[in-house]
Amino acid sequence: MRKQDMRQESLHVLHDLFLCGEEMPRGDFKAMLGMSDQGATDAPGALVKRGLLKFDPPQGKVRFGLPQHALHFMLLQLWLEAEADLANVSWVNWLLAQVE
């Protein structure tokens, strides 16, 4: 998916959805986009493909998504600490294996 596939309007509405921290009806999300019917149908699809928007059944409510592949960009400090912890655990396990 290219960057051009995501409309600026959809990112503003996604930001609002993130800030409210709750689910919203899909129709409300589309209405907030202020686009034509086709654009309001395509825009959420682009967000879903990127993992930024989640929904349950086809007509269910939408919610903010946190794609796993983007966690190291979105939560950089947390990601670095987790990687450091894993590196330390691996080092300790290797060291213990050498002693036994």
Side-chain angles (χ1 to χ4, degrees), residues 29-77:
F29 187 87
K30 289 181 177 182
M32 290 174 67
L33 291 170
M35 298 179 182
S36 66
D37 288 339
Q38 185 62 43
T41 300
D42 293 345
L47 295 172
V48 168
K49 285 180 184 175
R50 287 182 181 248
L52 296 170
L53 189 66
K54 303 281 185 184
F55 62 89
D56 293 321
Q59 297 305 317
K61 294 182 176 184
V62 296
R63 63 187 179 281
F64 180 77
L66 193 58
Q68 187 173 4
H69 67 274
L71 286 177
H72 65 282
F73 296 112
M74 299 171 97
L75 306 170
L76 182 61
Q77 191 61 39

Side-chain angles (χ1 to χ4, degrees), residues 2 8 13 20 23-24 29 31 34-35 41-43 50 55 57 65 72-73 75 80-81 83-84 90-91 95 99-100:
R2 300 179 319 255
Q8 192 69 27
V13 177
C20 82
E23 297 178 332
M24 76 170 51
F29 187 87
M35 298 179 182
T41 300
D42 293 345
R50 287 182 181 248
F55 62 89
H72 65 282
F73 296 112
L75 306 170
L80 292 174
E81 289 177 14
E83 284 183 340
S90 299
W91 173 254
L95 186 59
V99 174
E100 293 175 351

